[in-house]
Amino acid sequence: MAFNKMFVMLPVMFAARKLDGEDPMVVNYLRIAYGVMQGLCVLVVLYTYLKATAAAAQYTNHIVYVPPAPTPFQDPNATKKKYTETNYGAHVLSAARSLLGSTLFGVCMTVGLHIYKGMVVGLAIQTVMGPLNLAENPLIKALLLGTGKIDPADKLFDEKSASELTPDDEVVDESGNPLVRNNISALSNSATGKKTAAAKKDSGKEGETASTMMTLEEVMLDTWDSGDSADISNLMSALTEQNCNTQSSDDKWTPLMVLAGLGAVKGTASAIRQAIQLGANPAMTDKEGWSALHWAAFHGSPEAARELVKDISLLDATDKEGLTPLEIAKKENNNVVVKVLEEAEAAAEKSEDADGLRKRK
């Protein structure tokens, strides 16, 4: 059972309030006690920082997944935990810097209040609580109260490796963006599409073998680069209501555009339907001004086109060169898509004529 500092802090607070802050002898004793204890604390923190800096250099390529710091009001029964993907060395260094900064800030704050406001309660409390607070720090626990070294095997931050993550664990990057776990072997590196993901990011992380963590953009680009052999289930499992309109950083592609361009892949039409139900916007355009229907027209994806023309406004959308999806399909000699789009246009015109006739009646 973890030690509860409140059992010490509350009595210390009550006792400190009984001190006579007007008695010079009491104040001097408090100053001496505080100075000695805080001096030792600062030395311990500096030692920890130096050791952490050395450890950070040793583990620069070690990827771990760290849970958020506990909060007073978090649900203890929550089954799904959020883990942040981070470099172990960088995390250790960040924790050491935070410890050093908070310690020095606390000293400056306490001394400042004592000098300018004459507060002695803070001196008394920090004399006792300062060392106890440090004893709870995972780095100090490891270096002074544990093995004497900083090692990922000791799980100082309750971190996990990729192989230890469970399906209930949600993984985000350091910016809070959700990451997707995928089997590397399921993603081919071939690029058989007419467009290429030239700016695709390297998703490999040293120290991970069976699986890797990927952003939605990386999953999307890997799916595209796999061409006709793509496994779109990886992309579909990554889509949510919150991220279904994510655009790639360079070319502004969306998941719906990628699906529309993979017409030869089985299940694409159903995937497009599911993506739209999640909230994917087929009217969004990429860097070239292409909508998902432009993609289907260019890449010869009739099934995708049939799903997308349910939004008839896409038929009139033009790219930066002023071309509609139908004009793109004709230009690329994708005759099956041309037929789909022409039939959709004819149906739309017929519907408009019927509406006009009903209004005249």
Side-chain angles (χ1 to χ4, degrees):
M1 182 177 178
F3 173 71
N4 193 332
K5 291 187 300 182
M6 295 301 292
F7 290 119
V8 176
M9 187 173 181
L10 289 176
V12 170
M13 288 178 63
F14 285 119
R17 293 177 66 87
K18 300 293 184 181
L19 293 173
D20 185 0
E22 302 297 327
D23 187 337
M25 183 175 293
V26 171
V27 173
N28 285 333
Y29 280 141
L30 274 176
R31 287 173 177 171
I32 292 171
Y34 176 80
V36 170
M37 293 306 298
Q38 291 302 311
L40 290 174
C41 287
V42 170
L43 289 176
V44 167
V45 169
L46 288 173
Y47 169 77
T48 302
Y49 180 78
L50 293 175
K51 297 289 284 186
T53 302
Q58 183 180 355
Y59 295 107
T60 54
N61 295 318
H62 190 85
I63 301 299
V64 294
Y65 303 90
V66 182
T71 58
F73 304 106
Q74 69 183 20
D75 182 5
N77 299 318
T79 57
K80 192 165 188 176
K81 279 190 176 182
K82 182 178 289 187
Y83 287 82
T84 301
E85 181 189 65
T86 186
N87 179 289
Y88 186 78
H91 187 72
V92 166
L93 190 57
S94 175
R97 286 173 176 166
S98 177
L99 173 64
L100 180 60
S102 61
T103 301
L104 295 178
F105 177 79
V107 170
C108 292
M109 179 68 73
T110 303
V111 172
L113 289 173
H114 175 64
I115 292 174
Y116 292 104
K117 297 293 183 180
M119 293 181 64
V120 296
V121 174
L123 293 180
I125 292 175
Q126 289 304 315
T127 299
V128 177
M129 298 307 300
L132 291 179
N133 290 333
L134 290 185
E136 288 190 330
N137 183 273
L139 295 177
I140 290 178
K141 278 184 178 179
L143 292 173
L144 300 182
L145 306 175
T147 60
K149 61 180 181 178
I150 298 173
D151 192 324
D154 294 331
K155 307 292 184 185
L156 302 182
F157 309 103
D158 294 326
E159 70 273 15
K160 290 184 177 183
S161 64
S163 60
E164 293 171 329
L165 291 169
T166 69
D168 289 330
D169 294 331
E170 181 182 358
V171 181
V172 298
D173 62 18
E174 293 179 349
S175 300
N177 300 312
L179 298 176
V180 184
R181 277 173 275 170
N182 286 282
N183 191 301
I184 299 176
S185 62
L187 297 174
S188 167
N189 290 323
S190 62
T192 57
K194 293 182 181 178
K195 285 191 175 187
T196 60
K200 187 181 74 172
K201 297 178 181 177
D202 178 15
S203 61
K205 296 285 194 307
E206 185 172 336
E208 298 183 17
T209 54
S211 63
T212 185
M213 295 297 158
M214 306 172 72
T215 64
L216 177 59
E217 178 177 352
E218 289 170 334
V219 175
M220 184 167 63
L221 296 179
D222 271 337
T223 301
W224 175 254
D225 283 348
S226 297
D228 293 347
S229 62
D231 179 3
I232 61 174
S233 64
N234 289 322
L235 178 57
M236 294 309 297
S237 65
L239 288 185
T240 66
E241 292 180 357
Q242 290 73 35
N243 68 12
C244 61
N245 287 310
T246 296
Q247 290 186 288
S248 62
S249 54
D250 292 328
D251 296 311
K252 305 303 178 186
W253 299 357
T254 67
L256 200 57
M257 294 173 190
V258 170
L259 292 170
L262 294 172
V265 177
K266 186 178 180 181
T268 300
S270 174
I272 289 174
R273 192 159 52 247
Q274 292 175 43
I276 292 175
Q277 288 173 352
L278 281 174
N281 182 4
M284 290 182 70
T285 57
D286 63 12
K287 194 175 180 180
E288 298 173 5
W290 283 16
S291 68
L293 189 55
H294 282 93
W295 276 63
F298 181 86
H299 293 286
S301 306
E303 296 301 322
R306 285 192 182 92
E307 287 297 326
L308 292 167
V309 293
K310 292 176 181 178
D311 181 354
I312 59 174
S313 65
L314 297 178
L315 292 167
D316 297 324
T318 57
D319 63 10
K320 288 187 175 180
E321 296 180 359
L323 299 176
T324 65
L326 178 56
E327 290 168 332
I328 292 285
K330 288 180 178 179
K331 185 178 178 181
E332 296 299 319
N333 295 318
N334 290 324
N335 296 324
V336 180
V337 178
V338 169
K339 184 179 179 181
V340 170
L341 298 181
E342 286 179 339
E343 288 175 350
E345 283 191 346
E349 290 174 0
K350 185 176 180 180
S351 177
E352 289 176 1
D353 291 342
D355 287 342
L357 182 60
R358 280 194 291 270
K359 288 178 182 178
R360 286 195 295 273
K361 288 181 178 179

